[in-house]
Amino acid sequence: MNMKKVLIIDDEEDIRELIQYNLEKEGFEVSTAENGKLGLEKLKESKPDLILLDVMMPEMDGMEVCEIIRKNSSYNDVVICFLTARNEDYSQIAGLDIGGDDYISKPVKPKVLVSRINALLRRGGMTASEEENNEINEDLIIDREQYLVILKGKKLHLPKKEFELLSLLASKPQKVFGREIILDTVWGNEIVVGDRTIDVHVRKLREKIGSDYIQTVKGVGYKFIA
């Protein structure tokens, strides 16, 4: 069985060592980098399944690193989880806007960290029939095997959580998905995220595929219009 690969990019040596020790103990293959530039080099060497990315780093901060990674479609299936001691709401929303999948606050609690990473890497909540490719109409096709959306003949490589959110909503057009169902299915019930996380991802999807496909049902959630 292939071990899941995690890349830690953090300028604090003690944090890197603590996380590496606990993840390797749980069976992960771990590589580390002490700054953003080295982190991008490590990313090229061995494509990880997940990146733990510190926000506050000298020279190149985590936001810049995330932006660079998300501009390369080869890494769209790589999960990016920010590490930060900054709990300001604007910082978290900014991170989600540029393609981050989640946040973990410092100081890091090893058991919580491992649980969060397992939840982020887990793909669940879809039945076999929902895993099939879904041709919504002649303009929109969702290819779940390749994590690819084809909009009017143009390929869109969406970040993982945006793709999974779109796949969930499109799996049952006209069905209203409540916020709790969306959180449990896309993020996993071990992930502590709020309603604004869903709203940010919906907004990003609307920017990319248009505003006609996803409809807000006030006080409940969202539904997909085929």
Side-chain angles (χ1 to χ4, degrees), residues 158-166 201 204-205 208:
L158 301 177
K160 185 175 182 181
K161 292 305 176 188
E162 289 180 24
F163 182 88
E164 291 184 351
L165 174 57
L166 177 61
H201 282 72
K204 299 299 288 184
L205 279 173
K208 295 171 183 176

Side-chain angles (χ1 to χ4, degrees), residues 73 141 143 146 148-158:
S73 60
I141 298 172
D143 186 335
Q146 299 186 61
L148 178 68
V149 173
I150 302 174
L151 178 66
K152 297 180 179 179
K154 181 180 179 181
K155 294 181 179 180
L156 300 178
H157 293 276
L158 301 177

Side-chain angles (χ1 to χ4, degrees), residues 198-213:
I198 301 175
D199 297 337
V200 167
H201 282 72
V202 168
R203 175 166 59 81
K204 299 299 288 184
L205 279 173
R206 284 171 171 162
E207 290 173 358
K208 295 171 183 176
I209 68 171
S211 58
D212 295 334
Y213 287 107

Side-chain angles (χ1 to χ4, degrees), residues 121-133:
L121 292 173
R122 184 178 63 239
R123 279 209 58 204
M126 289 187 179
T127 65
S129 62
E130 289 169 344
E131 285 287 351
E132 296 175 359
N133 293 345

